[in-house]
Amino acid sequence: EAQVTQNPRYLITVTGKKLTVTCSQNMNHEYMSWYRQDPGLGLRQIYYSMNVEVTDKGDVPEGYKVSRKEKRNFPLILESPSPNQTSLYFCASSLSRGLSEQYFGPGTRLTVT
Amino acid sequence: SQQGEEDPQALSIQEGENATMNCSYKTSINNLQWYRQNSGRGLVHLILIRSNEREKHSGRLRVTLDTSKKSSSLLITASRAADTASYFCATSDYGNNRLAFGKGNQVVVIP
């Protein structure tokens, strides 16, 4: 089954404790992206990747890191999480660039206390 | 930056009625897409309309695009309780490698 998976689905952590949210897709998509969703703000893009070893900042990249060492994986790293990073995070992938339909993962609900 | 802006933000209708929501954008686009999100879950792609298309249908969905007014509308005909969700429009342009999402449009279908 074609899908985007994210782990963990729920995470409660404390300020400053480094964490990684994994994202994996099995559709051989070139393009992958991370979004955060906050009430009243819609979806905002954090980082995206056009292909392996090619990443670029989205609208709200501060406080996040990403890497794309393999085509199927695109982890999101929070080196020192802060409470303002409490949010619902989505990973998405698409066949090419941002111009085609995107497939979304189920989401990761992160709470930073 | 956010480009798509949906209007109205919240809509409550009876089952069987039609639901219409609009989206406006600011710059030239390559395509415009609509997504659905059930409460707290991942977004699901509904339909994509290219800038050279004016109307597109998919099942009970009808999307129109007016590039002169920089706006799009999504019509859901004969709504069902299962259509209760948030609906987002997203635009992509030639100079960008990403989609810009609107803030979403909550639709509640009352059985």
Side-chain angles (χ1 to χ4, degrees):
Chain A
E1 180 191 353
Q3 60 182 346
V4 178
T5 57
Q6 294 178 228
N7 281 293
R9 295 288 315 280
Y10 302 90
L11 179 60
I12 300 174
T13 190
V14 296
T15 299
K17 186 177 181 182
K18 179 179 178 179
L19 67 92
T20 299
V21 184
T22 64
C23 172
S24 183
Q25 51 92 5
N26 62 0
M27 295 168 279
N28 201 37
H29 284 168
E30 289 188 349
Y31 185 94
M32 297 186 74
S33 181
W34 276 103
Y35 298 88
R36 60 178 289 174
Q37 184 177 28
D38 302 288
L41 296 177
L43 270 82
R44 294 179 293 168
Q45 191 178 49
I46 303 171
Y47 269 95
Y48 66 94
S49 169
M50 301 267 287
N51 213 326
V52 175
E53 302 292 2
V54 181
T55 63
D56 209 343
K57 296 176 181 178
D59 298 313
V60 288
E62 294 78 21
Y64 304 94
K65 283 176 58 177
V66 292
S67 69
R68 187 93 181 272
K69 293 184 169 55
E70 305 165 282
K71 198 171 188 178
R72 62 183 292 130
N73 296 323
F74 190 43
L76 179 69
I77 303 155
L78 284 72
E79 295 269 4
S80 183
S82 63
N84 65 12
Q85 293 178 298
T86 292
S87 187
L88 180 58
Y89 291 87
F90 289 102
C91 179
S93 73
S94 64
L95 196 57
S96 63
R97 304 195 348 159
L99 304 182
S100 54
E101 65 174 281
Q102 295 201 10
Y103 294 78
F104 280 78
T108 295
R109 189 168 292 280
L110 172 66
T111 301
V112 184
T113 62
Chain B
S1 61
Q2 293 292 332
Q3 171 151 259
E5 289 288 344
E6 296 90 350
D7 175 63
Q9 272 69 54
L11 183 64
S12 183
I13 57 173
Q14 295 288 333
E15 199 166 32
E17 293 180 339
N18 295 342
T20 300
M21 56 208 92
N22 301 307
C23 169
S24 61
Y25 56 92
K26 295 184 175 64
T27 63
S28 296
I29 61 170
N30 174 272
N31 68 54
L32 186 144
Q33 304 178 32
W34 285 92
Y35 289 79
R36 183 187 74 227
Q37 182 183 33
N38 292 94
S39 183
R41 298 190 177 182
L43 280 71
V44 174
H45 182 265
L46 294 176
I47 197 164
L48 181 154
I49 186 165
R50 292 185 169 77
S51 59
N52 61 353
E53 298 176 310
R54 291 297 167 257
E55 189 171 311
K56 204 161 182 181
H57 296 254
S58 176
R60 293 184 295 111
L61 304 179
R62 173 176 165 252
V63 169
T64 61
L65 179 65
D66 187 335
T67 52
S68 67
K69 294 181 180 177
K70 291 186 168 58
S71 68
S72 172
S73 67
L74 172 66
L75 168 67
I76 305 173
T77 59
S79 62
R80 305 168 182 168
D83 294 328
T84 294
S86 291
Y87 293 83
F88 293 84
C89 71
T91 56
S92 70
D93 60 59
Y94 293 99
N96 233 328
N97 295 317
R98 43 204 176 105
L99 289 179
F101 283 84
K103 292 182 171 56
N105 204 327
Q106 190 172 4
V107 174
V108 175
V109 181
I110 303 164

